[in-house]
Amino acid sequence: SIKMDLLHSNGVLIIQHLQRNYRAYQDFLNFMSHVGDPRNIFSIYFPLWFQLNQVVGTKMIWVAVIGDWFNLIFKWILFGHRPYWWVQETMIYPNQSSPCLEQFPITCETGPGSPSGHAMGSSCVWYVMVTAALSYTVRWKDKLAVTLHRLTWSFLWSIFWIIQISVCISRVFIATHFPHQVILGVFAGILVAEAFEHTSAIQTASLRMYIKTNLFLFIFALGFYLSLKLLDIDLLWSVPKAKKWCANPDWINIDTTPFAGLVRNLGALFGLGLGIHSEMFITSCKGKNSCKISFRILCVAASLAALQLYNFLKIPTHTEYLFYLLSFCKSAAMPLTVVAVVPYCVHSLMRTTEKKLN
């Protein structure tokens, strides 16, 4: 406990240094925090990659969902505090002179802080994207191509670490994580992504396997929560702290609670399974149009546009269980739209155009 308090107090000094000396970069750091948001995986990265390479897109969803699930379990086990409430409650500072940490609209997340979900989600999905891109260049055999591959390797991994460091600094800057929490998140995300580099079974998983995986993840998490609750250990202990110490009550969002993330991820995995095993997917993505560059570009553009419309759908938050149910449905609809609905509509449009030309 004493060692953890010292770790936290040193983290507070780093946060104060960042907030004092990097004020000019506030907008950039807030932007990088949004870049690391796990929700971007489903609304930006996944639709781009799935239409270009279905193997990579499928892997991305699995890595994101399993990674975020592990993040939830680790958070419940580690009981990590967040800086913006820890400085208000710790007894380590004399005369109750706790440091002043500035808060922002994205500071007041309600789940435990360790490991960082943003850092973990960002590292795992960017790891998948970088390794996928390098898989194309590694096949080159001649001397010039090998040199080009090495340059590409250095460039992409440099970009990877620049993004991860920026995301980590941004999360520390806004006082929502301590430095050790973001570092742990980055390496945990890399481990999850690397594990899926050697897991090819997800590409041939049946709809039954998707459903079984969903049920296992949900039952295990719920069972873990209820078991500890019977032992008088409240795994939602962080929510009252967030509500108490957040500078602005309007910054508290139910979407940041532990179960909200769980439901969102389970919905995305279920939607992917439904989409891949639908007749619309088989008709459109397995047909002759699927090889055309124009088909894929249209699918990417239409998918990104369609998913932006989902951002306008505001789920009511007055009833918690209704929020979770609607959040699951919305999350399932997003990959289903990308995998099945959009490609089928584009395929039908292209087929109709070809008939008119003929």
Side-chain angles (χ1 to χ4, degrees):
S1 178
I2 295 176
K3 290 182 178 179
M4 189 57 68
D5 282 341
L6 289 174
L7 188 63
H8 285 161
S9 62
N10 288 330
V12 168
L13 292 176
I14 294 174
I15 295 170
Q16 287 182 306
H17 173 77
L18 290 174
Q19 291 188 344
R20 190 165 51 244
N21 297 289
Y22 289 83
R23 175 69 56 199
Y25 303 100
Q26 177 180 329
D27 291 340
F28 170 74
L29 292 173
N30 285 336
F31 170 74
M32 290 308 301
S33 189
H34 286 295
V35 168
D37 193 330
R39 286 169 288 196
N40 288 333
I41 299 171
F42 308 121
S43 61
I44 299 175
Y45 304 134
F46 169 67
L48 277 171
W49 274 96
F50 187 84
Q51 305 299 358
L52 299 176
N53 188 315
Q54 293 169 10
V55 172
V56 178
T58 300
K59 185 195 298 182
M60 188 176 291
I61 289 289
W62 277 89
V63 167
V65 170
I66 300 301
D68 210 51
W69 182 82
F70 273 116
N71 181 264
L72 172 65
I73 300 301
F74 287 149
K75 282 182 174 180
W76 279 348
I77 293 173
L78 297 176
F79 277 75
H81 290 273
R82 293 186 185 271
Y84 74 92
W85 75 59
W86 181 82
V87 294
Q88 303 292 339
E89 298 189 344
T90 183
M91 304 298 294
I92 196 173
Y93 299 106
N95 302 323
Q96 296 181 342
S97 56
S98 58
C100 180
L101 298 182
E102 185 175 354
Q103 297 183 24
F104 303 87
I106 56 176
T107 295
C108 301
E109 297 201 3
T110 57
S114 186
S116 166
H118 280 64
M120 192 168 175
S122 175
S123 65
C124 73
V125 72
W126 278 93
Y127 189 93
V128 169
M129 290 192 289
V130 169
T131 53
L134 290 174
S135 67
Y136 291 103
T137 62
V138 76
R139 303 170 192 152
W140 299 341
K141 299 298 182 184
D142 60 89
K143 189 174 181 179
L144 179 61
V146 170
T147 302
L148 185 59
H149 167 72
R150 289 173 180 172
L151 290 173
T152 305
W153 187 95
S154 300
F155 174 74
L156 290 180
W157 284 117
S158 297
I159 293 296
F160 172 86
W161 284 111
I162 289 172
I163 290 174
Q164 303 321 310
I165 292 170
S166 299
V167 169
C168 289
I169 292 175
S170 72
R171 301 301 289 169
V172 175
F173 174 83
I174 64 174
T176 199
H177 284 296
F178 291 104
H180 69 278
Q181 296 173 341
V182 293
I183 293 171
L184 179 60
V186 168
F187 287 102
I190 291 174
L191 286 175
V192 172
E194 179 60 27
F196 275 88
E197 289 294 314
H198 310 285
T199 309
S200 57
I202 59 174
Q203 302 298 337
T204 57
S206 63
L207 180 57
R208 179 176 294 182
M209 180 57 67
Y210 276 91
I211 295 173
K212 285 182 177 179
T213 303
N214 253 21
L215 288 174
F216 170 78
L217 297 177
F218 178 73
I219 291 172
F220 186 96
L222 184 62
F224 187 71
Y225 169 77
L226 293 176
S227 298
L228 290 183
K229 193 170 184 178
L230 289 175
L231 298 174
D232 289 330
I233 300 175
D234 184 15
L235 293 180
L236 299 181
W237 59 273
S238 59
V239 178
K241 290 182 181 293
K243 292 180 177 179
K244 181 178 180 181
W245 297 114
C246 184
N248 187 338
D250 293 335
W251 295 348
I252 296 290
N253 193 339
I254 190 175
D255 202 31
T256 66
T257 59
F259 278 113
L262 175 66
V263 169
R264 183 171 59 247
N265 288 308
L266 294 183
L269 187 63
F270 181 65
L272 176 65
L274 281 180
I276 287 178
H277 294 91
S278 67
E279 287 296 325
M280 287 190 292
F281 173 77
I282 295 171
T283 301
S284 57
C285 294
K286 298 298 183 181
K288 62 178 183 178
N289 281 331
S290 62
C291 299
K292 295 180 179 179
I293 297 297
S294 57
F295 173 79
R296 298 193 178 197
I297 292 175
L298 283 172
C299 285
V300 168
S303 295
L304 291 173
L307 293 187
Q308 296 313 306
L309 296 177
Y310 283 102
N311 293 330
F312 294 101
L313 294 177
K314 301 301 180 183
I315 301 176
T317 58
H318 58 276
T319 304
E320 192 171 359
Y321 293 112
L322 178 62
F323 172 83
Y324 290 146
L325 176 62
L326 295 178
S327 180
F328 178 88
C329 295
K330 179 181 176 181
S331 299
M334 293 174 73
L336 183 62
T337 300
V338 173
V339 173
V341 178
V342 166
Y344 182 78
C345 292
V346 173
H347 168 77
S348 301
L349 179 64
M350 291 181 70
R351 188 174 59 179
T352 303
T353 304
E354 288 173 358
K355 286 182 179 178
K356 287 182 179 180
L357 292 175
N358 293 333

